[in-house]
Amino acid sequence: MSALPSRQASLPKSGASVTVFAAPTSWIESDALAQCHQVAALDGMIHVAGMPDLHPGKGAPIGAAMLSSVLYPFLVGSDIGCGIAVFPIRLKRVVPEKLAARFPDLDRALDPERDADDPAWAVLDGEIPAGHVEGLGTVGRGNHFVELARVGTVLEPDHADRLGLAAGDLVLIVHSGSRGLGERILRAHTEVHGAGPAPDPAGYLAAHDAAVRWGSLNRRLMAARVALALGAEPTEPIVDECHNSVEIRDGAYLHRKGAARGDGRDVLVAGTRGTPSYLVAGHAGAEANHSVAHGAGRKMSRADALRRGRAKHTVEELRRTPVGSLVVCGDRQLLFEEAPTAYKRIEQVIGDLVDHGLATPVLSTVPVVTYKTADLDPAGDRRDTRRRRGRS
């Protein structure tokens, strides 16, 4: 299949080129395109590549890879090292209700001293990056999650076999980042330099690299905590790709915010808690800044999703998804903000990646249990249901 034409737009001579890898029918907000052009106008910017999950962020687009001769910390953002990892897991029986009840509290951090005997620490090899012990083993808020999923359709059997996966197998998918460490690094820069470039690129990169390692460790710790709680043995990840980072490539700085490395990498492109996700083999070239999408991408702001969701759904309805999976989430507002309808269609995002020659789908995964935050107040379901009935 020949690649489809991309949405291309160039700024005046003082700006960089902008290419968005999405079909004309794909949902791309004008605000996101405007942010791409704003970034393209920055000093030293060479090329901005928008992924099919492109959407507006705080000051910079999410779902973009940005190549520049100048290093801009704000283009990476505060959650340095955020990424998605996939871990095989073997369970004897899969009953979503029973498994959901056994998920550990991933809002409670592991303390190296208080929890020194926790077996999850076995995944730690060496020192904790940057010595940052706060928030270890926690998932965070927003779109972060830990999900027990089942391999659905296998599209590339040979590739899936190399990964050790077949239809029906179970995996843990962990999406989280560097928690407070990345925020601390960005704040140290912005308090002095705002959205300007890093005056000491090497210093920023050293801190950045530690945060990336911390994020990977955090995903491994959470996977181990969940596996042990479900009665399984922890495993090594078969995929672990960061999507908030910067790297030096061909003498320039390649910033990624909500975009994963797509040059010969396996990437889990996350759907929603009520739709499949897709593991893809990335083969993106220079025009796409060697990057692929990282997820479905929001199409509603959190405020819109909250307002529309409350008018349409109860908490109970949102905790059982269209694919029959369960959602563990004690924060009712977060349930509405992260509803599947708040996101773009994952099939469209994957289709755009395929049509533009950026990736090949290997297999799909279907949620069984998705953990967002500990459910410590199950009575909240009943109160929310009563309020909704009262409104109607």
Side-chain angles (χ1 to χ4, degrees):
M1 179 184 295
S2 59
L4 295 180
S6 307
R7 297 183 183 182
Q8 297 191 31
S10 296
L11 291 177
K13 292 181 179 179
S14 59
S17 55
V18 176
T19 305
V20 179
F21 293 86
T25 54
S26 295
W27 184 293
I28 303 291
E29 294 177 64
S30 59
D31 286 350
L33 293 173
Q35 286 187 334
C36 286
H37 287 288
Q38 291 164 7
V39 168
L42 293 173
D43 289 344
M45 195 59 58
I46 299 167
H47 180 54
V48 176
M51 300 295 111
D53 59 335
L54 182 73
H55 57 285
K58 293 181 179 178
I62 300 173
M66 300 151 281
L67 185 68
S68 173
S69 62
V70 177
L71 174 54
Y72 291 98
F74 90 98
L75 293 182
V76 177
S78 60
D79 200 7
I80 303 166
C82 186
I84 297 179
V86 180
F87 303 78
I89 183 172
R90 294 188 180 275
L91 298 173
K92 293 181 179 179
R93 296 187 62 205
V94 181
V95 181
E97 291 79 4
K98 292 184 178 180
L99 294 173
R102 294 174 64 181
F103 264 65
D105 181 358
L106 298 177
D107 292 337
R108 178 187 178 276
L110 289 178
D111 183 272
E113 295 183 1
R114 181 194 64 215
D115 304 307
D117 59 348
D118 193 303
W121 287 115
V123 304
L124 175 62
D125 182 14
E127 300 295 320
I128 296 172
H132 186 74
V133 298
E134 298 174 12
L136 277 167
T138 62
V139 66
R141 287 291 196 270
N143 63 350
H144 294 166
F145 64 86
V146 177
E147 182 170 277
L148 175 66
R150 191 184 299 278
V151 174
T153 304
V154 174
L155 302 164
E156 293 287 336
D158 289 344
H159 196 127
D161 187 59
R162 288 196 296 273
L163 292 172
L165 294 178
D169 287 351
L170 296 173
V171 293
L172 286 175
I173 301 171
V174 184
H175 175 201
S176 189
S178 58
R179 310 290 283 113
L181 177 58
E183 183 178 1
R184 187 180 76 190
I185 293 167
L186 181 64
R187 190 187 310 119
H189 171 81
T190 57
E191 285 179 349
V192 180
H193 306 286
D200 176 15
Y204 171 81
L205 286 171
H208 161 282
D209 292 350
V212 170
R213 293 194 302 273
W214 197 100
S216 181
L217 169 62
N218 196 40
R219 291 187 285 276
R220 290 168 186 250
L221 280 171
M222 281 188 281
R225 294 181 76 179
V226 173
L228 291 164
L230 299 185
E233 288 296 318
T235 60
E236 288 293 307
I238 57 174
V239 171
D240 188 7
E241 281 299 321
C242 171
H243 50 240
N244 285 353
S245 66
V246 61
E247 66 169 306
I248 298 177
R249 188 171 191 120
D250 299 327
Y253 298 104
L254 178 49
H255 311 75
R256 294 185 175 98
K257 184 160 179 63
R261 292 183 295 180
D263 49 350
R265 303 282 179 164
D266 293 323
V267 177
L268 193 287
V269 185
T272 71
R273 65 190 186 223
T275 62
S277 297
Y278 286 84
L279 195 154
V280 306
H283 39 75
E287 189 181 9
N289 279 338
H290 310 282
S291 303
V292 297
H294 80 307
R298 295 194 73 91
K299 72 175 183 180
M300 285 186 207
S301 69
R302 295 187 179 278
D304 283 346
L306 182 61
R307 175 176 53 82
R308 296 183 188 186
R310 280 178 167 167
K312 190 175 181 180
H313 300 290
T314 66
V315 168
E316 289 169 310
E317 290 168 346
L318 291 177
R319 285 185 171 173
R320 173 75 71 172
T321 76
V323 297
S325 63
L326 294 180
V327 180
V328 179
C329 184
D331 184 334
R332 287 174 288 176
Q333 179 173 322
L334 187 62
L335 267 173
F336 291 111
E337 291 177 348
E338 289 292 305
T341 52
Y343 284 82
K344 304 178 187 186
R345 289 182 60 250
I346 185 62
E347 292 80 8
Q348 182 69 55
V349 171
I350 299 300
D352 282 344
L353 290 176
V354 172
D355 290 341
H356 289 93
L358 305 188
T360 299
V362 175
L363 56 85
S364 67
T365 65
V366 181
V368 176
V369 177
T370 305
Y371 177 100
K372 297 292 292 182
T373 183
D375 185 6
L376 303 178
D377 183 20
D381 288 5
R382 295 189 291 274
R383 289 198 299 270
D384 189 86
T385 304
R386 287 197 296 269
R387 280 201 297 271
R388 185 170 183 268
R389 287 173 178 167
R391 290 198 300 270
S392 60

